[in-house]
């Protein structure tokens, strides 16, 4: 799940929770392991960053539409998306520009 908090200085902070998945940033680019890897962060379908922690700050410059969609995907060490029934494991949240 995703929770979003407006940052007092700039942009937003997101908090990501998940089950049955281990973040292993030290293994990026190495052989894939079950239920471990990292996340990819997208804002309005543009990949912003890899995510290696439950918390992440997104600068305000990425929120330039009236409605902005943040999407997080679970990815393997070799960057493939984890899937269930052929669908990527991901969550989205919409942020309206003030």
């Amino acid at each position: 799940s995703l929770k979003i908090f407006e940052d007092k200085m700039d942009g937003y902070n997101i908090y990501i929770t998940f089950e049955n998945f281990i973040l292993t940033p030290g293994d990026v680019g190495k052989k894939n392991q079950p239920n471990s890897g990292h996340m990819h962060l997208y804002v309005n379908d543009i990949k912003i960053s890899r995510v290696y922690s439950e918390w992440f700050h997104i600068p305000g410059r990425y929120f330039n539409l009236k409605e902005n969609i943040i999407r997080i995907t679970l990815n393997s060490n070799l960057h493939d998306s984890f899937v269930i029934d052929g669908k990527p494991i991901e969550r989205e949240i919409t942020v309206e520009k003030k």
Side-chain angles (χ1 to χ4, degrees), residues 16-83:
I16 308 155
T17 57
F18 42 85
E19 294 179 18
N20 198 27
F21 188 77
I22 301 168
L23 294 172
T24 55
D27 291 340
V28 170
K30 296 180 183 176
K31 183 179 177 183
N32 288 335
Q33 300 295 322
N35 301 331
S36 68
H38 61 282
M39 297 173 278
H40 289 174
L41 170 75
Y42 299 82
V43 177
N44 300 324
D45 288 326
I46 298 170
K47 184 178 173 186
I48 303 302
S49 182
R50 296 178 194 164
V51 179
Y52 301 126
S53 170
E54 292 88 359
W55 283 98
F56 192 84
H57 174 76
I58 308 170
R61 69 179 177 269
Y62 293 107
F63 298 91
N64 50 25
L65 302 176
K66 184 177 179 183
E67 290 188 348
N68 299 274
I69 299 172
I70 299 169
R71 180 168 47 103
I72 295 285
T73 61
L74 292 184
N75 298 82
S76 70
N77 294 335
L78 294 174
H79 305 281
D80 301 311
S81 292
F82 278 97
V83 298

Side-chain angles (χ1 to χ4, degrees), residues 1-23:
S1 67
L2 298 177
K3 292 182 182 179
I4 190 159
F5 307 91
E6 187 170 3
D7 189 282
K8 300 287 185 202
M9 299 288 290
D10 175 56
Y12 293 88
N13 297 309
I14 59 170
Y15 180 65
I16 308 155
T17 57
F18 42 85
E19 294 179 18
N20 198 27
F21 188 77
I22 301 168
L23 294 172

